[in-house]
Amino acid sequence: MCAFAGRLAKQDDIPQKARFITGGISPDHCRWISRFQIQRGTSDPHNYKSLADCFRTIFRNEGIYGFYKGILPPILAETPKRAVKFFTFEQYKKLLSLTGLSAGLALSVAGLGSGLTEALVVNPFEVVKVGLQANRDSFQVQPSTFAQARNIINADGFGLRGLNKGLTSTLGRHGVFNMIYFGFYFNVKDAIPASQDPTLEFLRKFAIGLASGTISSCVNIPFDVAKSRIQAPQPIPGEIKYRTCFQTMGLVYREEGYLALYKGLIPKIMRLGPGGAVMLLVYEYVSGWLNKNW
């Protein structure tokens, strides 16, 4: 299904860096929609029972284009998001090298700082994207990205009720993810001896990156679930059920059980496991080339 993304957004319209780092925005976007829809609460009349049920229902009710709702915000955010992630990681790493922190801890703290900074940049895009993806109208009649953003600003402004709704959850999601993502990767990579064979060395780094993205996804997903519940339309119109990050986590736990905090984990791992490995490899090889030639 995701192959149809080429018909919706030509590859030339997608930032080159985003396509290169993530390995293609289209399948990533399909998996994101699946995860977001699965994470909706059981009290939501539109909640889905499983990943397969989510795909079937979206396809049946909204057509193939339903999988690409809200695709413009991540396209617009992807390049600055990745740039902020890796640029700020390097800056925090340099600053922390001046402190008394051990190298391993400094890498994790630098990752935490980069994630928090990244969250501030991407949260408005996330609010618009979630609003578009929660819309059950057909792709052809739903509001455009800019109309959706304008509606949110006109109704609730730029603050924590409007374009920055769910900011705490986004800060937790990105901060925890990057802390483990960078900390695990660089600490484990340095602990496992490098191979002289370029192919084996590539596979070694890819495997560590895959583990890093997978573990980070498993640890930070409760924040992801909270973010989806807060930023999506509330189950009962006019009544705010999900207000803050930890209040939402506690409510989900009490009403649906512990496992509900891990809804959408499979599509998340499918996206950020291999995608995270590719990002780190690109970052390492590009950084190495730049340091060598500049």
Side-chain angles (χ1 to χ4, degrees):
M1 293 181 186
C2 296
F4 281 86
R7 301 179 186 177
L8 297 172
K10 295 179 181 177
Q11 287 295 310
D12 291 339
D13 296 331
I14 300 174
Q16 180 67 27
K17 183 176 179 181
R19 296 205 311 274
F20 185 48
I21 287 182
T22 63
I25 190 77
S26 303
D28 176 86
H29 189 71
C30 287
R31 286 188 285 268
W32 196 97
I33 289 182
S34 301
R35 189 184 83 239
F36 159 67
Q37 298 287 11
I38 291 168
Q39 288 173 347
R40 299 175 76 156
T42 53
S43 60
D44 191 322
H46 299 302
N47 85 89
Y48 298 95
K49 298 178 178 64
S50 66
L51 179 61
D53 176 58
C54 178
F55 270 97
R56 282 195 305 268
T57 306
I58 292 175
F59 181 74
R60 182 176 62 250
N61 296 341
E62 303 171 52
I64 189 67
Y65 295 118
F67 292 104
Y68 301 99
K69 287 182 175 180
I71 194 170
L72 185 57
I75 289 175
L76 294 174
E78 199 66 27
T79 296
K81 172 183 173 180
R82 303 305 183 198
V84 167
K85 177 194 287 284
F86 291 103
F87 175 76
T88 56
F89 173 70
E90 284 295 330
Q91 303 314 306
Y92 289 128
K93 188 170 68 171
K94 289 176 182 176
L95 287 174
L96 290 167
S97 68
L98 304 176
T99 69
L101 292 176
S102 65
L105 181 58
L107 288 167
S108 296
V109 175
L112 174 63
S114 75
L116 296 176
T117 309
E118 179 187 20
L120 294 173
V121 174
V122 305
N123 194 67
F125 294 94
E126 291 287 316
V127 172
V128 175
K129 178 175 69 173
V130 168
L132 289 170
Q133 292 176 345
N135 189 321
R136 294 307 180 99
D137 294 332
S138 68
F139 187 89
Q140 290 81 0
V141 300
Q142 74 165 18
S144 69
T145 296
F146 297 104
Q148 178 74 12
R150 188 166 56 249
N151 292 339
I152 293 171
I153 293 170
N154 290 340
D156 299 302
F158 292 90
L160 297 179
R161 292 180 178 271
L163 208 58
N164 272 293
K165 182 166 59 174
L167 178 60
T168 303
S169 300
T170 306
L171 288 167
R173 182 179 78 155
H174 288 266
V176 170
F177 182 90
N178 283 9
M179 178 177 68
I180 299 171
Y181 182 64
F182 286 113
F184 181 91
Y185 179 78
F186 287 105
N187 281 296
V188 173
K189 184 174 70 73
D190 291 342
I192 299 176
S195 173
Q196 298 302 314
D197 186 316
T199 302
L200 292 177
E201 177 62 8
F202 176 87
L203 292 175
R204 180 183 77 97
K205 290 180 177 179
F206 183 86
I208 299 170
L210 179 65
S212 179
T214 300
I215 294 170
S216 302
S217 298
C218 292
V219 174
N220 87 327
I221 194 168
F223 290 98
D224 208 353
V225 171
K227 186 188 84 70
S228 295
R229 300 289 179 94
I230 294 168
Q231 292 179 344
Q234 299 292 308
I236 302 175
E239 179 182 320
I240 301 178
K241 180 177 182 179
Y242 304 112
R243 296 178 179 275
T244 64
C245 177
F246 294 104
Q247 174 264 344
T248 298
M249 287 185 189
L251 191 57
V252 170
Y253 172 75
R254 288 194 302 273
E255 291 187 347
E256 304 170 45
Y258 180 75
L259 292 178
L261 292 170
Y262 292 85
K263 284 184 174 180
L265 180 60
I266 292 176
K268 183 179 176 74
I269 289 174
M270 289 171 62
R271 181 170 75 99
L272 292 175
V278 171
M279 278 195 293
L280 284 169
L281 285 171
V282 171
Y283 165 71
E284 280 232 68
Y285 285 112
V286 171
S287 296
W289 184 86
L290 290 172
N291 289 332
K292 183 178 179 181
N293 294 279
W294 292 75

